[in-house]
Amino acid sequence: MADLSLKHIYKVYPNGTKAVNDFNMQINDKEFIVFVGPSGCGKSTTLRMIAGLEDITAGELKIGGEVVNGLEPKDRDIAMVFQNYALYPHMTIYENIAFGLRMRKMPKDEIDKKVKEAAEILGITDYLKRKPKEMSGGQRQRVALGRAIVRDPKVMLLDEPLSNLDAKLRTQMRSEIVKLHRKLQTTFIYVTHDQTEAMTMGTRIVVMKDGFIKQVDTPKNLYKYPANKFVAGFIGTPQMNFFEGTLKKDGDVVHIEFKNSDAKITVPYSMLMKTTPAYLDGTKPVCIGFRPEDISLDPEKIEKAHATIKVKVSHTEELGTETLVYGDINMQGNGFDDTGTRIIIKSEGFDEYAADQICDAALNIADIHLFDAETEESILPRIPEFNYIDCSVKGRAISALDVDIALPPAIVCAEGSGELLIPPVAVTFDGDIPATVVEQEDINGQNLVTLDVNGKRLYALSDGVLAEKEQKIALDFKRLTIKTGGKEVAPMPEINGLDGTFAMERVSEPVTKDGKTKNKKVAKYYILMDGVKFPAPDDIANKMFAALSGRKVFNTQFRYELPPDGLAIADEGISAEVKAYLDYGRDKYIQCAVGEENIYVRCDKEYSGTVKLYPDLEKVSVIEKDRGIRILKFIYFSL
């Protein structure tokens, strides 16, 4: 198997520069993965760490289930194709392809077989006796590929292999590499700065910027559902149109105003239901995005459109089957300068538009993109962060979704009307509230369920596709935010944090050899939390040593994180003072104080006074505090 696992991979240079920040990805066997992004984003550095040409500062890299952090490049069973071909000019093509196999002392007949097979796959059989200087750029790139594939590697790494070729040859070689991937049936990881290459070649694409992953998804999902403004602008040609503006919800409609212009549209709220409500008050600035192909000058589409705006045309570019129309939604704009009101429209055919002509343009609201003006993150996510539901509290009951629900003892909130914030994960399918399944959508392995509850829309997540249309749901109150009477009840934290260190002790243990027993000194490793020692599992100790190679692991401050069910009340452990008993009905917890830290622990009965907490180190996450590097992360599925 040629699957790869990259967990919390960092590359930090001696001057403190982080070239790669907390890179996490699971690459499946036989996938074609493309790393794409602008120069300096960390894509080639990540590839070189996979190849072993760059040391990994922190994190764990597995190839085929084996940790390879410390392995030399030659021992990783990978092959790499570089941008500059790196062919030996004095050798024939046959000798160039065979060179690596000869260095491995492979028998001549086997070398000959592999070279000829590779040449046939790549269509260069007739050129094996030539020298590199006698071949074109595309042919030389095929030779570089041939030298890699004769190795029969687990993973093929390609670092911008087509950037030195002309446009026509790049298009041809793209097809050749995709065809090669299908023939070889091995894992390909391809680095490029060209988004066209990424979209046409990759089964999944990793978009990077400034050392961070901005989004990982299929080409289709990157195009249709960009997670942030950077991805939205990077993917697609011409680039997406961006406008500043505001959104204001008024009953069943939303008014959208475009800044620095007179453009205003009104659309049904049902088309923007996933929008975070905080942005719908008409005051918070947002970034509005429309792709050029989602804006139309076709009279038929304009007549049927939910929303239209005026566009002042500046100039056009005819591209054969389509025309790019440039203009401005500000009637005083010139359509040339990117002032925040310029617009590009992709129009079919050869329609002619005069300079300064004012046209109506239809906006496809179904494909609108909305981003926070400051963070540039999407405010119209595929999986909403919350369901925002009107509610009221009276006594020990809360009314929401036209249902009265008893509040668990742990919830104490002010009476009055307000709002209930329900994360989709807090809707469970084991209750007594009737709900009807309206739609189900698989989103990267998560099943998003759209429910109708007494005429109100509710989003939930389920483990798989729900077979029954009629369901009975419940709300997990420890995950809810309740805003009533001018006060707020926050959800219970899902992660506990404690500072600590890592320690070693040498102890004597009896060792029997040849029938004789002797005491021998062995190293034992411990995690220290709040000054209390706990034996460190071998895998955690190994990861900490690997992450802090060249640093003094025993003099480093760590942040240890655990979920509430990652701590147990025991006879020994960390001393904690019980502050509150939290009864959420099915689930019960205690809130404790450990020094200045508030700690939440799952329990089966009520406690008071001082208790001892013992951590389950199989559920611990580890962060090196000094550099902010996450060494290990436990995935919290539920509280």
Side-chain angles (χ1 to χ4, degrees), residues 576-580 590-594 597-601 611 613:
E577 288 295 321
V578 177
K579 296 172 64 176
I590 54 171
Q591 179 187 358
C592 307
V594 177
E597 304 281 0
N598 272 321
I599 303 296
Y600 295 82
V601 183
V611 295
L613 305 179

Side-chain angles (χ1 to χ4, degrees), residues 158-170:
L158 301 97
D159 190 5
E160 302 204 45
L162 308 184
S163 59
N164 289 335
L165 306 181
D166 60 57
K168 183 178 179 181
L169 200 49
R170 278 203 306 272

Side-chain angles (χ1 to χ4, degrees), residues 517-536:
T517 300
K518 293 183 178 179
N519 286 335
K520 184 179 179 181
K521 291 280 188 180
V522 296
K524 296 286 186 181
Y525 299 105
Y526 299 91
I527 284 175
L528 274 71
M529 296 184 190
D530 199 47
V532 181
K533 292 191 304 184
F534 302 97

Side-chain angles (χ1 to χ4, degrees), residues 562-613:
L562 286 153
D565 62 356
L567 289 161
I569 298 168
D571 295 331
E572 58 180 0
I574 302 164
S575 292
E577 288 295 321
V578 177
K579 296 172 64 176
Y581 173 63
L582 305 174
D583 182 352
Y584 287 99
R586 298 177 186 176
D587 304 318
K588 297 169 176 58
Y589 300 84
I590 54 171
Q591 179 187 358
C592 307
V594 177
E596 299 296 320
E597 304 281 0
N598 272 321
I599 303 296
Y600 295 82
V601 183
R602 193 168 192 163
C603 60
D604 54 4
K605 63 180 182 179
E606 188 169 355
Y607 289 86
S608 61
T610 302
V611 295
K612 298 286 187 179
L613 305 179

Side-chain angles (χ1 to χ4, degrees), residues 485-513:
K487 296 182 180 180
E488 178 177 314
V489 175
M492 195 185 84
E494 296 192 23
I495 299 174
N496 297 304
L498 288 167
D499 291 339
T501 55
F502 189 69
M504 180 192 74
E505 288 184 359
R506 292 197 176 275
V507 299
S508 293
E509 286 189 352
V511 177
T512 302
K513 186 177 181 181

Side-chain angles (χ1 to χ4, degrees), residues 92-248:
T92 65
I93 300 309
Y94 183 102
E95 291 167 340
N96 264 283
I97 296 174
F99 182 78
L101 303 181
R102 285 176 176 164
M103 294 299 290
R104 286 173 169 75
K105 311 295 184 184
M106 186 176 286
K108 285 186 178 180
D109 57 341
E110 193 170 343
I111 291 175
D112 185 67
K113 180 182 176 182
K114 282 183 172 289
V115 170
K116 289 179 178 176
E117 283 179 352
E120 185 176 351
I121 290 172
L122 295 166
I124 54 173
T125 302
D126 295 338
Y127 307 113
L128 291 177
K129 294 182 180 180
R130 295 188 183 183
K131 298 285 181 67
K133 66 181 180 180
E134 301 175 82
M135 303 184 76
S136 68
Q139 290 168 335
R140 274 180 265 179
Q141 189 62 75
R142 291 187 195 187
V143 176
L145 287 167
R147 191 169 53 188
I149 66 176
V150 293
R151 297 262 317 276
D152 193 21
K154 286 183 179 177
V155 184
M156 285 275 286
L157 307 178
L158 301 97
D159 190 5
E160 302 204 45
L162 308 184
S163 59
N164 289 335
L165 306 181
D166 60 57
K168 183 178 179 181
L169 200 49
R170 278 203 306 272
T171 302
Q172 179 187 339
M173 285 303 299
R174 282 205 310 263
S175 300
E176 293 289 343
I177 291 174
V178 171
K179 186 166 67 174
L180 180 62
H181 172 251
R182 290 177 181 171
K183 282 186 178 180
L184 296 181
Q185 290 292 292
T186 192
T187 306
F188 274 45
I189 304 177
Y190 187 102
V191 163
T192 181
H193 63 273
D194 186 334
Q195 61 105 357
T196 302
E197 283 184 17
M199 294 290 284
T200 55
M201 300 175 75
T203 53
R204 281 193 299 161
I205 300 172
V206 183
V207 184
M208 298 184 68
K209 180 187 179 187
D210 299 332
F212 290 92
I213 293 178
K214 302 300 288 184
Q215 191 172 350
V216 180
D217 218 322
T218 62
K220 176 183 176 181
N221 285 342
L222 285 179
Y223 178 85
K224 288 179 66 68
Y225 309 109
N228 47 70
K229 184 182 175 183
F230 174 77
V231 174
F234 194 83
I235 300 297
T237 305
Q239 140 171 331
M240 183 182 288
N241 295 288
F242 295 113
F243 310 101
E244 294 180 44
T246 57
L247 313 172
K248 184 169 180 61

Side-chain angles (χ1 to χ4, degrees), residues 251-271:
D252 293 332
V253 298
V254 176
H255 303 291
I256 303 177
E257 293 193 11
F258 294 79
K259 189 177 178 182
N260 300 322
S261 78
D262 295 328
K264 298 177 183 180
I265 60 176
T266 299
V267 300
Y269 174 60
S270 59
M271 303 186 77

